[in-house]
Amino acid sequence: MGREKIVITGLGVLAPNGNNVDEFWSACTAGKSGIGPITYFDSSDYRASIAGELSDFQPETVLDPKEIRKLDPFSIYALVATDEAVKMANIDTDTVDLDRVGVTIGSGVGGIQTLEEQHTIIETKGPRRVSPLFVPKMIANIAGGHLSIRWGFRGPNQTIISACASATDAIGIAMRFIMAGDADMMICGGTEASVTPLTIAGFGNMRALSPRSDDPIKASRPFDNDRDGFVLGEGAGMLVIETESHAKNRGATILAELAGYGATDDAFHVTQPAVGGAGAYKAMGRAIKDAGLELTDIDYINAHGTSTPFNDRNESAAISALFGDHCTKLKVSSTKSMTGHLLGAAGGIEAVVAVKAIQDQIIPPTINYDTPDPDCTLDYVPNTAQTHPVNSILSNTFGFGGHNAVICIRKYD
């Protein structure tokens, strides 16, 4: 007998180009970038001075101002995005068995803003001035804890840290929790608030960030021959997933099926992907096998597509090697061209892209694709969204340390 389907019933997004699902998806299909000059601090002496910051974000619409002051932004983002997802899923906490609802959240660095602020305080004002809230604001698991406290979710609660693969791993592991019988419903995704002086300096000094500060919107250019680094972004992407029977029993609207998950490690290098994308190749293959699909069933890949020379070349090689002749029919795009790279939250917002692409049968573009790279030979949906039949999608995320995580989302039947 086949396993029961795991379905997606709620979505929530905070991204540089949209503060909710509708805004975000409209911007993605319109090719609208959310990248601009950094406003959070003076970045004039940094190698890179642009980022994908949230715009006109008002957490007070969801959270009490007193509560906001006690939270690091990465927790705030998770709470606001989850609020949207919970409302979309129409979860009634009075009727759902909260002992059977869990949380998995991915984050690359957790509360790094709080860490930097409090380190400055201890250096300039001494240890007695460090906030007593420092630890519970900063630790990476606290966002998941806040979600459980706010809605009363008493099932499994874990935080996944696998660099830029974190959110996708969190979604995949949430799926495994349900399959193992440990939960009926999981809240899962990723959150990141890492546009900070230390993070921008660190990535910049390792030459990972695009230096195109004079033209921010054009800086993130995945698969383009003139790409020169990624642009850091921030935000959160959250999903509600549950068994098909659980969703039907409570009358939920099913948006799509979470069909498969694959994860590997390159075991190669701390920052560079394996030659030819060997680990990515295997992770994609595992996700497709887990979904019970064939290679030819995949219509679209939301690529990791960071706009770095190594990633884009190796990811393209992995896709080409795995899919072979099917590449002539396969669409591939990177929405990081519009959002920047949200690190541990990237897989969360990109899973939302996958669901919306299936719902609307539209594939968002890779913007800033002007000069083809001879090493990247796929159809990257250049610059303009395309209406196209979309039934099965892979969402790829790969991270420092060699982490590779891929999920397969398909049209619900």
Side-chain angles (χ1 to χ4, degrees):
M1 293 180 63
R3 69 193 191 200
E4 184 175 6
K5 291 180 180 179
I6 311 297
V7 298
I8 300 167
T9 56
L11 307 172
V13 164
L14 280 173
N17 61 344
N19 290 335
N20 55 58
V21 170
D22 288 344
E23 286 182 6
F24 169 66
W25 180 239
S26 293
C28 286
T29 54
K32 180 181 177 181
S33 173
I35 296 166
I38 291 173
T39 64
Y40 294 162
F41 57 91
D42 182 1
S43 60
S44 56
D45 290 336
Y46 290 66
R47 293 184 183 274
S49 58
I50 58 174
E53 298 178 345
L54 298 186
S55 178
D56 298 321
F57 174 50
Q58 298 177 336
E60 297 84 0
T61 60
V62 174
L63 304 172
D64 184 273
K66 292 182 180 178
E67 185 179 12
I68 291 170
R69 289 193 291 271
K70 298 178 182 179
L71 300 170
D72 185 271
F74 96 109
S75 291
I76 295 171
Y77 299 170
L79 284 161
V80 172
T82 299
D83 184 74
E84 182 181 21
V86 166
K87 288 176 178 174
M88 184 181 296
N90 197 26
I91 297 173
D92 184 349
T93 55
D94 291 327
T95 59
V96 170
D97 182 357
L98 297 176
D99 289 321
R100 303 281 301 166
V101 183
V103 177
T104 53
I105 293 188
S107 185
V109 293
I112 192 167
Q113 289 196 28
T114 295
L115 178 63
E116 291 188 35
E117 290 168 358
Q118 295 302 311
H119 182 264
T120 298
I121 288 173
I122 197 171
E123 289 289 298
T124 58
K125 298 181 180 180
R128 293 186 179 274
R129 298 296 296 275
V130 171
S131 171
L133 295 175
F134 165 59
V135 172
K137 284 180 70 174
M138 177 271 298
I139 51 179
N141 69 296
I142 206 67
H146 282 299
L147 298 194
S148 283
I149 292 167
R150 185 177 182 87
W151 284 280
F153 303 139
R154 296 188 293 267
N157 191 316
Q158 293 188 357
T159 297
I160 311 302
I161 300 177
S162 48
C164 305
S166 298
T168 303
D169 275 327
I171 294 167
I173 289 169
M175 179 183 180
R176 296 291 188 250
F177 270 126
I178 294 175
M179 291 169 59
D182 293 324
D184 298 321
M185 174 189 288
M186 295 290 294
I187 315 301
C188 53
T191 185
E192 205 79 91
S194 57
V195 182
T196 69
L198 193 58
T199 309
I200 294 291
F203 278 124
N205 290 348
M206 69 184 294
R207 304 298 201 277
L209 299 180
S210 172
R212 295 175 190 249
S213 298
D214 59 334
D215 195 4
I217 290 176
K218 295 287 187 180
S220 183
R221 42 197 320 110
F223 306 109
D224 185 87
N225 193 58
D226 298 325
R227 65 190 184 275
D228 54 10
F230 75 88
V231 177
L232 194 65
E234 63 173 353
M238 301 298 298
L239 279 64
V240 176
I241 67 172
E242 54 191 303
T243 62
E244 181 184 35
S245 59
H246 189 266
K248 286 184 173 181
N249 287 339
R250 66 182 194 87
T253 298
I254 294 174
L255 307 176
E257 178 188 353
L258 178 59
Y261 166 57
T264 65
D265 195 277
D266 290 344
F268 174 72
H269 190 273
V270 292
T271 59
Q272 294 181 15
V275 177
Y281 174 103
K282 294 176 183 177
M284 288 187 288
R286 289 183 181 184
I288 293 168
K289 182 179 179 180
D290 190 47
L293 298 175
E294 302 295 330
L295 293 171
T296 52
D297 291 321
I298 303 302
D299 303 301
Y300 166 53
I301 298 175
N302 186 283
H304 190 51
T306 57
S307 186
T308 60
F310 280 111
N311 173 86
D312 296 2
R313 181 170 62 246
N314 284 283
E315 184 175 12
S316 294
I319 293 169
S320 297
L322 179 63
F323 288 93
D325 291 342
H326 183 55
C327 286
T328 60
K329 299 179 180 179
L330 188 62
K331 301 289 185 179
V332 179
S333 74
S334 173
T335 43
K336 289 184 180 71
S337 59
M338 296 171 276
T339 66
H341 190 355
L342 272 65
L343 305 183
I349 66 168
E350 289 160 14
V352 173
V353 167
V355 174
K356 295 300 293 182
I358 287 170
Q359 287 188 312
D360 291 354
Q361 298 289 285
I362 295 175
I363 297 176
T366 304
I367 68 168
N368 303 322
Y369 186 80
D370 300 323
T371 308
D373 180 342
D375 291 328
C376 301
T377 58
L378 303 168
D379 180 352
Y380 301 109
V381 193
N383 302 311
T384 304
Q386 296 180 14
T387 299
H388 191 273
V390 187
N391 293 304
S392 299
I393 293 175
L394 294 185
S395 180
N396 288 351
T397 51
F398 315 128
F400 283 1
H403 299 284
N404 306 296
V406 179
I407 53 173
C408 179
I409 296 175
R410 64 183 301 191
K411 189 175 182 179
Y412 175 69
D413 183 3

